[in-house]
Amino acid sequence: MIMKLIPGGNAPVPTQTLTVRVISGSDVDVSAFRLYENNKVKDGGVDMIFYGQPRSDDSSITLSGGALNTSFNVNLGSIPAAVQKIAFTATVDAGQVIEGLRTLKVQVEQAGNILLECDVPMSERREAALILGELYRRNSEWKFRFVSQGFNGGLKPLAEHFGVEVADEPTPTPTISLQKITLSKDKPTISLAKQSTKFGEIRINLNWNRGSTHKGFSLFKRETGVDLDLGAFIRLKDDYKTVVQALGGRFGYLYEPPFVELQDDDRTGDSGDGEWLYINGDEWENIEEVLVYAFIYEGVPNWDSTNGTVTIHMKGQPPIETNLTEGNPGLGMCAIARLKNNGGSLNVERVNRYFDGHSEMDEAFGWGFRWKAGSK
Amino acid sequence: MAVSLAKGGNISLTKTDAGLKVVMAGLGWDQRVTDGTDFDLDASVFMVGEDGKVLSDAGFIFYGQKNSQCGSVEHQGDNRTGAGDGDDEQIKIDLANIPADVKKLVFAVTIHEADQRKQNFGMVSNGYIRVSNNDSQVELARFDLSEDASVETAMIFGELYLHGTEWKFKAVGQGFAGGLPALAKAHGVNLA
């Protein structure tokens, strides 16, 4: 029997594998947040399940579908004991409100049968992000609550509400970054599904600790400034391959092959936001692979004190971040990440491998360029 | 010792707690964190006679009339948002000074303008109403509004009544349509 809930209402659900389905009148992004004590995530990069990360680390929550019909399979029996709640949210694009979806409905299903039905009242629904409902523990059983409350400011206040750290974009863009995803040893890849629209501009930032910014009187000798260079090997679909980097003046082009362009070179890291490499994501269908790397052009190859961070910004995506740590002192070259075209989707893989120089890295990844020494 | 009462269940407060002299009814809820109109919950007490009606309008203790004429019932103040820890609204009852013709104190909780604001207890986080011994701070009974009265907008929480020489508390947990005005009318209050 289908039970209808009104906003605020709750009902017990069986501790089984349930499907939480969200059906809407037009495209909506649906996400799930795994919440611990105090209704917060433990780690924003792991506890959020969305199209960029459609499966929880323990596979107990998986997302499928999207757009007008998104569903989460939740195996309640295998949810870790520390997880108190799983909240399901809907967000619309910047400038839109939930009301614009015309209809929005949540269904809790078990083995194809609808247990609970929740129609979101749409009149004067001015929020841009809504907490639709939540599965939660109550007296050693699971219940579902139809929440239907949210935030006019959209994803950012919603994510912050759940304790997800929201990184501010370095330059204002119409979309809001929903959270920061950190690629690490334990979680080295993220796949961004093929989009109906194009990927837009993909901006890759390298920032690092300026070694020479000691100001005023100091007993220590001034350290030499470290100059880190950002670069990329690019292979297009037609097998054309090239290098983009400041060394040798190969800045590339954004609107013609190789669709990758290095922005102004920051020689000391003092400009504040480091170096930027842009990839034209609208041409992603023509790109096979981009290997992003950094190398120490000047200064001591000591990666730990350099504290380099690479962040990949994409339209409508959380920034993807990786830290240049675990570096081998003495090796001046770091292969940071590989962006691969996987049947139209964009696969970002954290590499973090260190080499003596370009040719050693080239050899390790089998690119086959010819190398000679150069200078800026 | 906190006693969670089933609806209709009653406990003898003076037996459980021999030192009971002053009862504190506490209403608590969390401030709204999502966007929208604040949740404004109100605690009220009806001091009623044998027939279940107030003896006069002075027997309706709420945010608009904070003290009973006898001085035994005191509303500690209206909280409009739920801001703050612990109980957000409290009504203090001095059992010894309740007039003899008052047979029952009815505790109610309502959401201010629930219909206009389209709100119910289930939308409020961590809403509860409880009674406790004001001297020992021991909780005697509690009702979880957010969870167990989720689709209600007004509720009779319970009744404190004199049985012989003993004060007893009966958990009612009964939802009520129409908010505080309807509740007041039902208890014989003449509303302006």
Side-chain angles (χ1 to χ4, degrees):
Chain A
M1 193 191 72
I2 302 176
M3 182 177 171
K4 283 212 173 224
L5 291 185
I6 62 166
N10 67 69
V13 292
T15 307
Q16 303 285 337
T17 295
L18 301 180
T19 300
V20 176
R21 187 181 304 281
V22 178
I23 301 163
S24 60
S26 46
D27 286 9
V28 65
D29 280 337
V30 180
S31 311
F33 292 81
R34 220 165 37 173
L35 305 174
Y36 296 78
E37 286 297 329
N38 304 325
N39 285 330
K40 304 284 183 208
V41 297
K42 236 183 211 163
D43 177 347
V46 175
D47 291 323
M48 188 177 167
I49 295 92
F50 65 115
Y51 68 92
Q53 180 169 265
R55 181 178 290 268
S56 64
D57 49 4
D58 61 357
S59 296
S60 58
I61 307 170
T62 57
L63 175 148
S64 53
L68 305 182
N69 187 329
T70 309
S71 59
F72 286 95
N73 274 308
V74 183
N75 184 352
L76 288 177
S78 59
I79 299 291
V83 175
Q84 298 299 309
K85 201 181 262 189
I86 303 150
F88 301 90
T89 64
T91 49
V92 291
D93 289 338
Q96 320 241 313
V97 294
I98 292 287
E99 191 179 32
L101 296 173
R102 300 189 308 281
T103 60
L104 184 59
K105 177 160 120 173
V106 186
Q107 285 174 185
V108 179
E109 307 167 0
Q110 185 193 6
N113 297 315
I114 302 171
L115 305 177
L116 304 173
E117 206 172 57
C118 312
D119 282 308
V120 177
M122 296 304 275
S123 85
E124 293 166 56
R125 195 90 261 168
R126 310 309 297 168
E127 298 94 341
L130 209 60
I131 304 166
L132 296 167
E134 54 198 21
L135 286 163
Y136 62 104
R137 292 185 196 272
R138 167 88 180 164
N139 298 337
S140 72
E141 61 167 8
W142 282 92
K143 293 180 86 176
F144 182 82
R145 187 191 332 271
F146 181 20
V147 177
S148 189
Q149 290 180 39
F151 300 91
N152 300 343
L155 219 38
K156 190 174 150 81
L158 175 83
E160 284 169 349
H161 170 67
F162 290 130
V164 178
E165 231 178 273
V166 179
D168 283 318
E169 294 273 334
T171 48
T173 58
T175 52
I176 303 158
S177 66
L178 42 112
Q179 54 141 189
K180 204 152 62 173
I181 295 173
T182 301
L183 298 181
S184 65
K185 248 186 186 167
D186 299 337
K187 184 177 169 298
T189 61
I190 187 158
S191 180
L192 305 171
K194 192 173 181 172
Q195 313 226 325
S196 48
T197 54
K198 313 227 166 173
F199 284 106
E201 204 166 72
I202 302 165
R203 295 172 298 126
I204 301 171
N205 175 249
L206 167 68
N207 208 347
W208 67 95
N209 192 14
R210 304 109 185 83
S212 61
T213 50
H214 290 293
K215 296 245 158 67
F217 189 74
S218 170
L219 290 176
F220 298 100
K221 277 195 271 187
R222 287 166 63 94
E223 295 171 48
T224 324
V226 177
D227 184 15
L228 278 189
D229 267 7
L230 186 61
F233 291 177
I234 300 115
R235 182 184 286 122
L236 299 182
K237 280 285 183 194
D238 62 6
D239 253 355
Y240 170 78
K241 61 188 176 188
T242 188
V243 178
V244 166
Q245 61 177 36
L247 188 64
R250 308 175 62 100
F251 287 90
Y253 303 98
L254 199 53
Y255 297 105
E256 53 188 273
F259 308 114
V260 176
E261 191 179 62
L262 188 67
Q263 309 303 303
D264 285 343
D265 183 27
D266 176 2
R267 290 296 291 265
T268 60
D270 278 345
S271 74
D273 70 345
E275 291 207 353
W276 290 89
L277 183 77
Y278 286 10
I279 300 171
N280 186 345
D282 292 344
E283 299 288 347
W284 188 247
E285 57 189 1
N286 296 315
I287 301 171
E288 176 64 34
E289 180 180 349
V290 180
L291 173 68
V292 181
Y293 58 81
F295 61 100
I296 298 177
Y297 178 69
E298 231 171 50
V300 186
N302 183 344
W303 294 94
D304 282 340
S305 70
T306 304
N307 231 346
T309 301
V310 172
T311 314
I312 303 172
H313 300 270
M314 291 174 63
K315 190 182 140 208
Q317 290 292 332
I320 301 166
E321 188 185 276
T322 181
N323 294 310
L324 305 184
T325 53
E326 304 137 32
N328 198 336
L331 297 180
M333 186 91 190
C334 176
I336 299 161
R338 268 196 287 199
L339 286 76
K340 273 194 164 169
N341 186 331
N342 186 4
S345 68
L346 200 167
N347 210 59
V348 185
E349 181 198 358
R350 178 192 197 249
V351 179
N352 240 41
R353 282 174 63 188
Y354 294 82
F355 301 94
D356 213 13
H358 287 79
S359 55
E360 289 76 11
M361 183 174 71
D362 178 328
E363 204 172 304
F365 293 103
W367 282 74
F369 292 110
R370 288 157 171 268
W371 297 97
K372 60 181 172 91
S375 117
K376 282 199 260 194
Chain B
M1 180 193 66
V3 182
S4 262
L5 287 182
K7 278 181 201 174
N10 57 51
I11 47 163
S12 164
L13 296 183
T14 35
K15 255 183 201 161
T16 351
D17 196 344
L20 187 65
K21 292 187 180 71
V22 178
V23 168
M24 186 69 93
L27 167 66
W29 74 99
D30 288 352
Q31 198 167 11
R32 184 170 188 154
V33 290
T34 51
D35 288 329
T37 318
D38 282 335
F39 298 120
D40 179 5
L41 274 60
D42 293 313
S44 311
V45 169
F46 298 97
M47 304 172 72
V48 301
E50 212 67 75
D51 60 353
K53 311 281 185 198
V54 290
L55 303 172
S56 76
D57 290 346
F60 173 35
I61 311 305
F62 70 118
Y63 54 82
Q65 177 168 266
K66 296 202 174 74
N67 296 297
S68 66
Q69 284 172 333
C70 58
S72 57
V73 181
E74 283 174 36
H75 192 299
Q76 311 288 303
D78 186 21
N79 183 320
R80 311 292 296 264
T81 62
D85 291 339
D87 292 345
D88 296 301
E89 286 195 16
Q90 292 184 319
I91 299 179
K92 198 165 133 185
I93 301 109
D94 184 352
L95 295 176
N97 293 326
I98 294 173
D101 50 358
V102 172
K103 300 299 176 198
K104 207 158 69 172
L105 299 177
V106 180
F107 296 87
V109 51
T110 51
I111 300 178
H112 186 59
E113 294 181 340
D115 291 346
Q116 294 95 308
R117 299 181 184 185
K118 295 179 184 144
Q119 296 173 346
N120 59 31
F121 292 129
M123 297 179 181
V124 181
S125 290
N126 298 316
Y128 67 83
I129 183 164
R130 60 178 190 155
V131 288
S132 45
N133 181 332
N134 191 49
D135 301 312
S136 65
Q137 299 291 311
V138 172
E139 193 174 282
L140 303 164
R142 171 189 277 259
F143 197 96
D144 185 340
L145 297 168
S146 303
E147 202 61 35
D148 300 323
S150 62
V151 300
E152 306 292 352
T153 59
M155 199 187 77
I156 298 173
F157 163 50
E159 301 169 349
L160 192 62
Y161 64 100
L162 198 58
H163 180 75
T165 56
E166 266 179 9
W167 282 100
K168 288 196 169 189
F169 185 83
K170 181 180 170 195
V172 178
Q174 179 68 57
F176 208 94
L180 193 56
L183 264 172
K185 268 181 213 152
H187 289 91
V189 178
N190 299 299
L191 291 181

